[in-house]
Amino acid sequence: MSDAEGPITLREFSEMDVERLKGVGEKKAEALRTVGIDNVLDLLTHYPRRWIDRTNEARIRDLLPGEQALVLVTVQAISGRRTRGRPPKSLVTADVTDGSGHLRVTFFNQAWRERQLSPGTQAALFGKLELFNGRKQMTSPIVDLIGDKTGKVVPIYPQSEKAGLTTSDIGTFVAEVLRRSTVRGILDPVPADVLARFDLVGREAAIRGIHGPDGMDEQDRARERLVFDELLGIQLALVLRKQALEQTARGIRHDVSGELVDRFLGRLPFDLTAGQRDAIAALSADLAGPHPMHRLLQGDVGAGKTVVAVTALLAAVEGGHQGALMAPTEVLAEQHALGVRPLLAGLTVGAGEGAGQLFDQRELAVGLLTNRTTAKERERLLVGLAEGTVDVVIGTHALIEEGIAFRSLGVVVVDEQHRFGVEQRAALRDKGAGGVVPDVLVMTATPIPRTAAMTVYGDLDVTEIKTAPEGRKPITTVWERTRPHADGQLSLAELAVWDHVKREVEAGHQAFVVCPLIEESEKLEVRSAQATFDELDAGPLAGLRLGLLHGRLRPTAKEATMEQFRAARLDVLVATSVIEVGVDVPNATVMVILDADRFGIAQLHQLRGRVGRAQLPSWCYLVAAGQSPDAERRLEALCDPKSGQDGFVLAEVDLEVRGEGTVFATRQKGRNDLKLASLLRDRGVVARAREVAFELVGADPGLARHAELLDEVTLFLDEDEREFLAKS
Ligand code: ADP
Ligand code: MG
């Protein structure tokens, strides 16, 4: 690293092979690659996962039994043997000391520890202190080899036992990079006034501080800055992308003054809520404008998003274009069809040119296109879409990917449920006729935490429906704990809920019973639903009128059952999670969800939204053993009388329980991942980074005057994204 040029950029680091570092030969380079480190930038962003604060370390002498502790020790003796039990295990025992006291450490079935921890080795041990025959002991602690580090704070890196890469190797390599960077320094591309406003340390101080802090507060400050950088990078990419879309894509100026939407709204048996009216106004403005809409419609379960989405589809149809409603799965597509078809039934549209005067109006045509659509129907639909005689089509996102030709696709509504990402949405750009980009409305049927939304949907404008239609009563949610069953079978007759179900039915109301989810196999799920139905019909709910609904039924059979339930000719609907969306029976006041711990929080919240739709008090029973702490946390969150109905609170719990990786499952893998930032812990920073990104891009379109920052943003993008931004 010569001092010929200015400070070193991250791009330069990314172009330096790790093999250029002292001590990194072919073998270590290979080992580094196995943990994802190819170049010096990878190395510098391979952040420690813990820091051992030597100024504040625990002493063996002071430890109490049962306490979790981190101790720095030297190995005095170690030996291994096989136990006599069946099957025999290997047992390695080490005696260690930290000068204040002695500790015995045991490992089961980790015979290699004997080689790893030879006498004299220094290691950090993290584990629970036990007393065994009056001696202090730890069983299978987490071990980090730290070498003879002298700093006050020792970073512990994610290492690889298998590849023979220790935390002390990595620390040494990082230290060398930092030493060699002293002369030129490390470039900081973030404007100084931004750093000053948020009281952030400089880039170089942050990189040095995260790897070799003098104290834990220095490490905190370093982390704060690097987290900001990570989130700012993502937000800049999204805001740039948004800007590029807005500037380059040609959209359709939809006619939003027409009467089709009015006719539709006029026929609804209720008035729109203020939130729905505002959302429709925002959509209309987008639709009427020259640029394609890219809007996210967020709102809790039951907020009434469907009506809003349907108005957008109708606006397209009004002007002679078509609308598509896409769901992430076949089942969800079918459910949407069940929900949307009745809303559109009876609406008429202009029949278009060539039609006789007498027949200048025809029924608005809605099609459902999934894998289950018969070949004949499919053929008919494809012709209709190409000719424009099918106005609205509902299906999975295969709709846009399979090269299906539309006469003029005007509006696409995407029901995401977390499952579509930026890439899938990008496919839409190529779908309109003659280079025209259709308007896109993304609905999240399940709220996700705001910070996650900003990160995953940051290229969209956001409309939020904040309030549910009036008169909704909270749904009393009760966890009926079952005992775990040895054979995995739940005995339905044992449950207490059926009395309540019967009482509700006697009072003239209806109930849902949701069958256990079996994700691996629809066939098994159907079989289990049938068994549940039979068991209830013969036992606990004998005498009530039961219906059964599952995914394997023909659409006509499904529709017929639904209709019977709607018309109250059935008392109880036993169903698989098919009823998650689209079932709308205000007279239903109880829901019983069997094996509720198999569902995720979002899904349970969504399911529960099928009751509590009228002014009647309603209940949801979650039947589950709740054997894992995660399941317990989920079920308790839903039952919380204060926050258990608040989708955003639930979404945060969900994020906590499932981990953050899942939020990004739809994002491209690779560099753009969060390494230090946490969407939960750093939620405030997400908002700040977004604000700064809008400011910077707003004042300097395309970041033309912030070349270094722009270069860094593109460094973290994948090929497609880069190309897209470059084109515009
Ligand atoms: P979401 O998709 O946001 O979860 P839906 O669109 O499925 O919610 O609507 C939930 C229920 O509320 C449906 O039964 C719908 O008919 C009803 N609904 C929608 N808007 C209103 C309103 N303004 N007033 C009363 N009920 C409404
Ligand atoms: Mg809905």
Side-chain angles (χ1 to χ4, degrees), residues 627-640:
Q627 293 184 74
S628 72
D630 279 359
E632 197 142 315
R633 179 101 175 75
R634 290 202 304 263
L635 298 173
E636 271 166 5
L638 284 154
C639 295
D640 189 310

Side-chain angles (χ1 to χ4, degrees), residues 180-214:
R180 285 169 63 177
S181 307
T182 349
V183 177
R184 279 179 62 191
I186 298 173
L187 181 94
D188 193 339
V190 175
D193 62 310
V194 171
L195 299 182
R197 180 161 19 130
F198 298 113
D199 189 25
L200 294 167
V201 300
R203 167 74 59 82
E204 179 158 359
I207 294 179
R208 290 183 183 279
I210 200 95
H211 289 290
D214 272 336

